[in-house]
Amino acid sequence: MATPYDDQNIFAKILRGEIPNDTVLETDHTLAFRDIAPQAPEHVLVIPKGAYVCHDDFALNASDAEVVDFMRVTGRICAMLGVQPTEDGPGYRVIANAGGHGVQEVPHYHMHILAGRPLGRMLEPA
Ligand code: 5GP
């Protein structure tokens, strides 16, 4: 059975305005803000405003409007940061951790956008 959504998680508190955040972009369905402990010069978290635990929960259960809006925001953030991998553009990485093996710390779906330095290989050897 899927993990139930815990509305006391830190991102739910951010969405309710109980905890401040450094907003980069906000739409009807999506909020993007800077990570409190950045792991690269640019580290933005993109979260849906709806109560979804992780990537598969969001991908399967969110409305088309929510999914499209979320994806568009990720693209807009890359453009705002100027990191698209064009001829001169440096590129970036997106990551969505899920559950125990994915080492997901906050159980509200979020996508990390990391950029601003070479990011190394995707995974260290096990
Ligand atoms: P996860 O490990 O769940 O994929 O990533 C959770 C991320 O949320 C971490 O990179 C962590 O630094 C970030 N984070 C945790 N608490 C807060 C907070 O209160 N504010 C912000 N902006 N980021 C947070």
Side-chain angles (χ1 to χ4, degrees):
M1 198 169 107
T3 310
Y5 184 81
D6 170 13
D7 68 5
Q8 292 307 306
N9 78 74
I10 202 97
F11 293 171
K13 292 179 180 179
I14 285 176
L15 285 168
R16 289 195 295 266
E18 295 167 14
I19 293 177
N21 74 91
D22 185 359
T23 298
V24 179
L25 185 63
E26 181 169 11
T27 64
D28 285 351
H29 297 298
T30 309
L31 179 68
F33 54 96
R34 294 203 171 273
D35 197 292
I36 203 168
Q39 295 184 41
E42 305 285 5
H43 188 168
V44 174
L45 300 169
V46 184
I47 70 173
K49 290 185 175 177
Y52 303 101
V53 175
C54 59
H55 177 80
D56 59 286
D57 183 20
F58 180 70
L60 289 172
N61 299 315
S63 69
D64 290 2
E66 289 174 297
V67 173
V68 169
D69 187 71
F70 183 90
M71 292 304 291
R72 295 277 191 246
V73 167
T74 64
R76 287 174 65 189
I77 298 292
C78 292
M80 288 168 71
L81 299 177
V83 297
Q84 308 101 310
T86 57
E87 222 166 82
D88 302 326
Y92 58 90
R93 180 170 293 152
V94 295
I95 299 174
N97 297 317
H101 282 191
V103 195
Q104 180 181 8
E105 181 190 322
V106 179
H108 179 111
Y109 178 47
H110 51 283
M111 185 174 281
H112 299 256
I113 300 177
L114 297 144
R117 66 168 171 82
L119 295 163
R121 293 185 64 82
M122 187 169 64
L123 294 175
E124 296 300 326

